Amino acid sequence: MKILVQSLIVATACLAGLASAQTAAAKPATTATATLLDLHAIGSNGEKFSPDRIRGKVAIVFYWSTTCAVCRNSLPELRLNMNGWRDKPFALVTVNVDKNAEDWLAYERIQDKTQAPPKGLIALRQDEGKAVPMKLPLTLLVDAKGKVVARYEGRLAPEAWDGVADL
């Protein structure tokens, strides 16, 4: 009986910790930063990206790495949710930060073979020499004027999609 009670106490503590972690993951690291998106990246074709390309659209900018399991797990969700915005002024920008460009390109080739890229998806790799986010994944919510209005670290926050709807 004593073991059962102790097990219940531990299980309750774990569930409380899990709920706390899930709540914490959904909170933005910062909000209303109102700084312009500063993104230096290239596409798989070698073309440099300009933030002007997404001006006039609300965007989610998602920093990720092929070595980050949480990042890779979030990408299909991003693609699926993006389909709901295909007829709206919305862009999804995925920014890979791998040290080795070939790791990213190999991942993108597999994605292209297994699923069609949704309309509005912009897949990029951050320019070498630029600072990599300390915590991945990193999600930025960008308004139509190109300003970062929210920043979420860790698992993909549902509030990011709420922000898209609000903007």
Side-chain angles (χ1 to χ4, degrees):
M1 184 69 154
K2 185 177 180 181
I3 293 173
L4 180 60
V5 171
Q6 287 175 336
S7 296
L8 285 172
I9 291 170
V10 170
T12 303
C14 288
L15 287 174
L18 178 61
S20 172
Q22 288 173 335
T23 302
K27 292 181 181 175
T30 58
T31 55
T33 55
T35 60
L36 286 176
L37 177 65
D38 183 27
L39 176 57
H40 301 273
I42 57 168
S44 58
N45 60 1
E47 183 181 326
K48 289 221 176 255
F49 173 79
S50 168
D52 290 338
R53 182 171 169 192
I54 59 171
R55 287 261 160 56
K57 298 178 182 178
V58 172
I60 286 186
V61 179
F62 185 77
Y63 288 83
W64 70 285
S65 170
T66 59
T67 61
C68 169
V70 174
C71 299
R72 290 189 320 270
N73 195 31
S74 297
L75 290 167
E77 177 186 341
L78 284 165
R79 287 171 174 256
L80 285 172
N81 282 345
M82 187 175 173
N83 283 329
W85 298 98
R86 68 178 168 267
D87 297 326
K88 306 288 185 209
F90 173 76
L92 171 61
V93 181
T94 59
V95 184
N96 180 271
V97 296
D98 284 350
K99 289 181 182 177
N100 182 358
E102 187 52 40
D103 293 340
W104 169 63
L105 291 170
Y107 183 89
E108 290 297 327
R109 281 192 295 271
I110 289 169
Q111 290 303 305
D112 288 346
K113 288 180 181 178
T114 59
Q115 52 187 309
K119 178 184 170 189
L121 174 65
I122 303 169
L124 304 170
R125 181 167 186 276
Q126 184 167 282
D127 283 349
E128 291 184 28
K130 294 295 176 184
V132 174
M134 292 295 288
K135 186 172 183 181
L136 291 174
L138 171 66
T139 306
L140 304 178
L141 178 59
V142 181
D143 70 11
K145 294 178 182 176
K147 293 183 181 179
V148 177
V149 295
R151 173 188 172 104
Y152 303 90
E153 294 177 344
R155 293 196 180 277
L156 190 57
E159 289 83 357
W161 293 108
D162 293 342
V164 170
D166 291 343
L167 293 172

